[in-house]
């Protein structure tokens, strides 16, 4: 099997299946036990949201999936990341290259940082396209250039020839964000990971960027993992949501259901603190803060902040209880209702 | 009860950012604040909303005296803040304080919290028992006294911002400018910080000039809202009226672009005024109404004449030809 795309992969199986993933970081004074057995899966064509407060491990999980975590300090003591049935963690370099090129592509949190200021837009877009082309099928310069032009046209950027010759500082924030999206999609990935796309932009420009993203993934049937702190964006853009707390997935459900019937006390707290356009003041939020990963709480990691904590929560880690209709929640309050 | 605390009249702040070509050497000017007028009343929260680069921080920095206005007037309780060149008297500098957007960079990393809070206390309330005052300040913002000996890097983003709020309170101000105080924070930390700010406002009868780009947040904290676009205010209204009946096309576009988390909010958004076009460069502002390049209702008139602010009643003012010259539409 010379690194060819996986044969015999069934379309009904998950496209990406993360099983019991643990990620630790070695630091002075011990080990940060950040990801604590994450389970996450998505089917082809699905748009999945990932939410949770700062430091809960969202970016760490994506970096593990792309295998770009620096090791050391990072260590993956357990877990599997199955992409089309094959474990990314066990792949050899050439297979990994194929996954990063045409399998999974990522738009990073900050478009200013993602684009290198000393290279022209053209040099950067063309480099991405060349990297993703399988060795042996190397395309001509002209072909690469044409694909770069198409990539910018697809994200509604006018005058792509001129833009390709420009440098990042000559573009507005909205244009830079669109270049990043165009670049990420130019390789025709099967999964697009978008980490806070456009959230540093004005809402009107952000809305334009997100509408474009939605249109493109629909046209190309791309699967998407969307990470953002703006819960409204998740509600308007995804089919299903995963909620992460301190390195654990605590709840997952179809998007509409998660927003109308959140079950986990953390999710309920998170959604209730979002300021509403309808007014009514600001709910005081969840007391306390995310735990120290050197000595994370025993049992349910949320228990020190939970208003409904029971004895068992202190001692035992809650499994994901299945509540029907694709709704799962890792909380002992639902132990008896689980199906 | 409606005493004016801050009054801006035709306030302008221009920055010269460079020169054109080699021969003509014309100044390139950013009209960061381009003739704005507004009034703030004692004890109220005026929300200042606008996209990045619209001039919100420039208004803030001018108010605290970091910038001198290019022209126009800015009065605090009837007293002109920029009298011919002189330094601002201490009493005024005490009265107007600011909390910056980025909690990290506004606190000196080499000083502990005690030293950070001591500085304004020394200047503004000399003589008293300093330690007692610091303990009291920390208590007011709900931080345990042992935080005194921590350094900024040991605090979370939210805690740093709370220290910045305590520092602003140290001089016993009556007006605090909050320049995006929570935009770097998580929603749950934001909620805690905002609730603290609202409690302090009641306790000390503070007036807030609250700058943000988050309209949902604004809805819940401001009594009145002013919307800025490219250095000008395009609409001012009481918060409730504003959300029910936004008049300016830019405001409608803003409101319809907000991502929301519930069906009830969805119903409140104006029927989709889809956002299009790029925000123009601030050195090259369109003629006439500066919003016309993105406005779905732009008419001939809009490219020729800059509309003036008109009062539509109930303290709701708007700067748009659709309102001031409806016949042209
Ligand atoms: N290279 C590293 N070394 C040590 N600790 C790390 C490293 N990378 C991440 N961490 C820690 O892992 C935790 C999770 O970080 P991560 O960036 O994944 O959070 P996040 O959910 O993406 O947060 P945000 O919403 O702020 O982007 C944090 O406590 C962080 O300090
Ligand atoms: N000291 C300065 N010198 C030159 N130009 C400046 C200066 N300060 C601000 N500007 C320019 O003035 C305009 C208004 O900037 P300002 O910081 O007031 O915007 P803002 O509304 O606070 O934006 P943001 O939401 O990004 O904080 C921008 O185009 C900015 O580049
Ligand atoms: S004045 Fe004209 S261009 Fe400006 S907002 Fe009103 S209708 Fe649009
Ligand atoms: Mg992150
Ligand atoms: Mg600003």
């Amino acid at each position: 099997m010379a690194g060819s795309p996986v044969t015999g992969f069934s379309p009904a199986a998950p496209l990406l299946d993360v099983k019991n993933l643990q990620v630790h970081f070695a630091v002075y004074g011990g080990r940060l036990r950040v990801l604590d057995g994450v389970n996450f899966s998505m089917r082809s064509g699905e748009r999945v949201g990932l939410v949770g407060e700062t430091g809960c491990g969202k970016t760490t999980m994506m970096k593990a999936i792309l295998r770009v975590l620096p090791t050391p300090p990072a260590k993956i003591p357990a877990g599997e990341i199955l992409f089309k049935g094959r474990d990314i963690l066990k792949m050899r370099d050439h297979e990994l290259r194929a996954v990063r090129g045409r399998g999974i592509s990522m738009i990073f949190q900050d478009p200013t940082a993602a684009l290198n200021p000393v290279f022209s837009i053209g040099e950067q877009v063309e480099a991405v396209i060349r990297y993703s082309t399988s060795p042996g099928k190397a395309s001509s310069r002209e072909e690469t250039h044409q694909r770069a032009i198409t990539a910018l046209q697809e994200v509604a950027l006018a005058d792509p020839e001129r833009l390709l010759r420009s440098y990042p500082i000559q573009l507005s924030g909205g244009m830079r964000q669109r270049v990043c999206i165009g670049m990420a999609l130019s390789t025709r990935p099967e999964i697009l990971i978008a980490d806070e796309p456009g959230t540093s932009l004005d809402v009107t420009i952000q809305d334009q960027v997100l509408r474009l993203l939605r249109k493109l993934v629909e046209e190309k049937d791309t699967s998407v993992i969307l990470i953002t702190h703006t819960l409204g964006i998740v509600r308007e853009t995804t089919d299903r949501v995963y909620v992460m707390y301190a390195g654990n997935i605590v709840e997952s459900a179809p998007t509409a259901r998660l927003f109308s019937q959140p079950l986990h006390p953390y999710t309920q707290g998170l959604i209730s603190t979002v300021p509403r356009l309808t007014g009514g003041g600001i709910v005081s939020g969840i007391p306390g803060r995310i735990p120290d990963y050197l000595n994370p709480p025993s049992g349910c990691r949320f228990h020190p902040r939970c208003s409904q904590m029971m004895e068992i929560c202190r001692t035992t880690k809650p499994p994901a209880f299945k509540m029907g209709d694709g709704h799962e929640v890792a909380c002992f309050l639902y132990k008896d209702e689980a199906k | 009860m409606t005493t004016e605390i801050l009054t801006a009249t035709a306030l302008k702040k221009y920055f010269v950012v460079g020169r054109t070509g080699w021969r003509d050497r014309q100044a390139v000017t950013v009209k960061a604040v381009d003739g704005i007028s507004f009034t703030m009343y004692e004890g109220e929260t005026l929300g200042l909303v606008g996209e990045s680069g619209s001039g919100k921080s420039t208004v803030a920095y001018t108010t605290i005296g970091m910038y001198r206005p290019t022209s126009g007037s800015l009065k605090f309780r009837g007293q002109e803040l920029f009298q011919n060149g002189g330094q601002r008297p201490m009493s005024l500098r005490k009265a107007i304080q600011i909390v910056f957007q980025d909690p990290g960079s506004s606190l000196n990393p080499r000083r502990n919290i005690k030293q950070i809070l001591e500085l304004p206390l020394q200047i503004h309330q000399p003589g008293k028992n300093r330690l007692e005052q610091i303990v009291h300040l920390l208590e007011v913002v709900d931080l345990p006294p042992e935080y005194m000996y921590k350094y900024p890097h040991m605090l979370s983003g939210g805690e740093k911002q709370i220290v910045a709020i305590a520092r602003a309170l140290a001089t016993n101000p009556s007006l605090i400018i909050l320049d995006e105080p929570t935009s770097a924070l998580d929603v749950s930390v934001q909620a805690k910080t905002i609730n603290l700010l609202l409690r302090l406002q009641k306790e000390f009868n503070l007036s807030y000039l609250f700058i943000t780009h988050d309209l949902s947040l604004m809805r819940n904290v401001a009594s009145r809202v002013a919307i800025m676009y490219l250095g000008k205010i395009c609409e001012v209204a009481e918060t409730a009226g504003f959300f029910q009946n936004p008049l300016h096309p830019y405001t409608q576009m803003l409101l319809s672009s907000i991502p929301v988390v519930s069906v009830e909010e969805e119903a409140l958004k104006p029927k989709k005024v889809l956002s299009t076009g790029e925000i123009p460069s601030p050195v090259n502002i369109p003629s006439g109404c500066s919003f016309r390049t993105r406005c779905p209702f732009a008419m001939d008139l809009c490219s020729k004449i800059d509309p003036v602010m008109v009062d539509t009643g109930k303290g709701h003012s708007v700067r748009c030809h659709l309102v001031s010259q409806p016949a042209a539409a």
Side-chain angles (χ1 to χ4, degrees):
Chain A
M1 277 219 30
S4 62
V6 182
T7 42
F9 169 72
S10 139
L15 178 62
L16 180 68
D17 200 1
V18 177
K19 290 183 174 165
N20 186 34
L21 181 66
Q22 295 183 16
V23 174
H24 295 178
F25 293 102
V27 291
Y28 178 78
R31 266 207 277 174
L32 299 176
R33 279 170 286 166
V34 177
L35 296 192
D36 183 37
V38 165
N39 291 301
F40 174 103
S41 88
M42 69 192 291
R43 273 174 282 114
S44 180
E46 229 184 350
R47 297 170 305 174
V48 176
L50 178 60
V51 301
E53 71 203 284
T54 295
C56 71
K58 305 180 293 293
T59 301
T60 300
M61 174 174 156
M62 295 310 130
K63 286 184 175 166
I65 291 172
L66 286 169
R67 238 173 86 182
V68 292
L69 278 175
T71 44
K75 197 169 181 280
I76 303 185
E80 283 178 319
I81 301 172
L82 303 176
F83 176 63
K84 296 178 152 182
R86 304 255 313 177
D87 192 349
I88 291 182
L89 294 175
K90 297 204 178 96
M91 281 182 187
R92 299 215 240 122
D93 283 354
H94 62 279
E95 287 178 278
L96 199 56
R97 187 176 155 133
V99 169
R100 286 189 199 147
R102 283 156 296 146
I104 308 176
S105 176
M106 179 147 170
I107 304 173
F108 284 92
Q109 219 150 342
D110 177 5
T112 329
L115 291 171
N116 190 324
V118 305
F119 294 109
S120 71
I121 299 291
E123 286 168 302
Q124 304 190 50
V125 177
E126 286 171 20
V128 168
I129 292 170
R130 266 196 307 273
Y131 180 81
S132 71
T133 324
S134 28
K137 270 208 307 186
S139 52
S140 71
R141 279 180 84 139
E142 187 44 36
E143 216 176 290
T144 311
H145 185 68
Q146 276 311 319
R147 282 184 59 191
I149 290 177
T150 316
L152 296 193
Q153 278 166 342
E154 277 181 352
V155 288
L157 284 166
D159 203 358
E161 287 277 8
R162 188 179 54 81
L163 275 181
L164 286 174
R165 287 193 302 270
S166 344
Y167 286 80
I169 51 155
Q170 295 172 291
L171 275 55
S172 74
M175 288 164 87
R176 279 199 290 256
Q177 188 62 262
R178 267 180 275 176
V179 168
C180 289
I181 294 177
M183 218 151 74
L185 287 173
S186 67
T187 64
R188 301 275 172 274
E190 290 175 76
I191 300 179
L192 177 71
I193 301 174
D195 199 350
E196 296 276 356
T199 38
S200 58
L201 306 170
D202 169 45
V203 279
T204 61
I205 303 297
Q206 171 187 301
D207 186 54
Q208 287 177 25
V209 167
L210 290 169
R211 259 189 284 141
L212 179 80
L213 186 67
R214 282 195 284 259
K215 182 173 146 267
L216 290 176
V217 302
E218 211 145 291
E219 280 169 11
K220 304 188 193 319
D221 206 26
T222 313
S223 314
V224 177
I225 301 175
L226 177 73
I227 301 178
T228 171
H229 288 287
T230 314
L231 293 183
I233 294 179
V234 172
R235 180 172 162 274
E236 293 176 6
T237 311
T238 64
D239 310 311
R240 214 151 50 84
V241 188
Y242 281 89
V243 183
M244 193 178 235
Y245 178 78
N248 287 290
I249 297 294
V250 295
E251 184 163 5
S252 68
T255 304
R257 190 167 154 132
L258 188 95
F259 281 93
S260 62
Q261 296 172 55
L263 295 178
H264 198 283
Y266 174 69
T267 316
Q268 291 171 350
L270 189 69
I271 293 177
S272 73
T273 45
V274 178
R276 302 301 166 103
L277 207 51
T278 38
I282 309 261
V283 175
S284 57
I286 312 160
R289 60 157 128 154
I290 220 160
D292 172 10
Y293 288 111
L294 267 180
N295 297 296
S298 57
C300 170
R301 282 190 173 182
F302 187 58
H303 87 250
R305 299 175 71 184
C306 183
S307 61
Q308 301 178 70
M309 195 258 293
M310 302 165 288
E311 203 39 53
I312 185 174
C313 310
R314 244 199 280 260
T315 55
T316 315
K317 180 175 166 165
F321 295 108
K322 290 189 167 48
M323 307 301 291
D325 297 326
H327 198 157
E328 294 191 10
V329 59
C331 168
F332 286 118
L333 290 171
Y334 303 94
K335 151 168 81 49
D336 300 328
E337 290 168 51
K339 301 194 166 124
Chain B
M1 49 154 250
T2 46
T3 326
E4 294 186 7
I5 186 163
L6 188 70
T7 318
T9 316
L11 190 70
K12 289 187 183 175
K13 177 64 197 172
Y14 293 178
F15 295 103
V16 175
V17 291
R19 303 264 162 199
T20 58
W22 287 105
R23 297 221 178 103
D24 43 355
R25 305 291 286 168
Q26 291 237 23
V28 176
T29 312
V30 174
K31 297 179 176 179
V33 174
D34 196 15
I36 66 166
S37 303
F38 65 87
T39 306
M40 267 187 78
Y41 302 100
E42 292 282 355
E44 85 162 337
T45 299
L46 175 67
L48 192 57
V49 182
E51 92 277 338
S52 182
S54 58
K56 306 179 298 290
S57 294
T58 305
V59 172
Y61 299 162
T62 307
T63 310
I64 58 163
M66 268 168 65
Y67 294 151
R68 280 193 77 74
T70 305
S71 68
S73 128
L74 192 60
K75 287 184 176 153
F76 179 76
R77 294 189 170 134
Q79 185 181 357
E80 182 58 53
L81 280 173
F82 296 92
Q83 293 145 325
N84 22 325
Q87 258 232 340
R88 199 177 271 198
M90 185 59 79
S91 63
L92 281 179
R93 284 196 276 156
K94 274 183 176 183
I96 308 176
Q97 287 292 321
I98 186 164
V99 174
F100 293 98
Q101 165 169 2
D102 180 3
S105 62
S106 77
L107 303 177
N108 187 336
R110 279 184 295 274
R111 290 174 191 272
N112 65 21
I113 307 310
K114 177 165 169 278
Q115 293 165 320
I116 286 171
L117 296 177
E118 245 167 12
L119 201 69
L121 286 171
Q122 252 160 27
I123 298 172
H124 296 293
Q125 305 187 14
K128 294 197 196 161
N129 181 339
R130 195 86 59 235
L131 201 64
E132 213 169 88
Q133 283 178 297
I134 290 171
V135 172
H136 176 69
L137 261 181
L138 289 174
E139 195 178 285
V140 163
V141 297
D142 278 341
L143 285 180
E146 62 270 19
Y147 269 56
M148 236 184 315
Y149 302 106
K150 293 200 181 200
Y151 285 83
H153 75 266
M154 301 170 170
L155 306 182
S156 71
E159 287 169 341
K160 279 184 217 158
Q161 201 56 302
I162 287 172
V163 169
I165 293 169
R167 180 177 59 181
L169 287 174
T171 69
N172 218 348
S174 32
L175 171 62
I176 300 183
I177 296 162
L178 301 161
D179 190 359
E180 314 221 22
T182 59
S183 63
L185 309 177
D186 242 281
V187 276
S188 54
V189 185
Q190 161 172 289
K192 192 172 170 230
T193 314
I194 295 290
N195 281 312
L196 171 71
L197 284 168
L198 295 179
R199 172 169 71 70
L200 295 171
Q201 178 170 43
K202 274 205 206 106
E203 229 168 282
F204 303 108
N205 191 34
L206 299 168
S207 311
Y208 289 153
L209 180 61
F210 196 112
I211 296 173
T212 174
H213 55 254
D214 183 344
L215 276 160
S216 305
L217 178 59
M218 192 54 81
R219 172 74 180 86
N220 291 282
V221 297
S223 37
R224 284 186 313 130
V225 181
I227 306 289
M228 271 186 96
Y229 187 77
L230 285 177
K232 291 181 179 162
I233 291 180
C234 59
E235 185 161 7
V236 184
E238 298 208 339
T239 308
F242 171 83
F243 282 91
Q244 266 155 29
N245 187 23
L247 294 173
H248 197 283
Y250 175 59
T251 315
Q252 293 172 0
M253 189 183 274
L254 261 182
L255 283 170
S256 74
S257 304
I258 303 176
V260 297
V261 296
S262 67
V263 183
E264 298 79 61
E265 293 170 277
E266 206 75 68
L268 214 79
K269 292 209 245 176
K271 56 179 181 331
K272 211 70 176 164
V273 178
L274 280 189
S275 166
T276 54
E278 294 286 329
I279 298 169
S281 150
V283 294
N284 202 356
I285 292 176
S287 64
C289 169
S290 56
F291 185 58
R292 71 177 163 85
T293 52
R294 299 177 65 201
C295 181
F297 312 111
M299 313 165 279
D300 254 2
L301 180 65
C302 305
S303 62
K304 296 184 186 118
I305 299 171
D306 194 11
V308 292
M309 204 58 144
V310 291
D311 189 345
T312 67
K314 287 195 189 155
H316 194 155
S317 305
V318 61
R319 209 168 50 77
C320 170
H321 289 309
L322 290 172
V323 177
S324 51
Q325 306 275 328

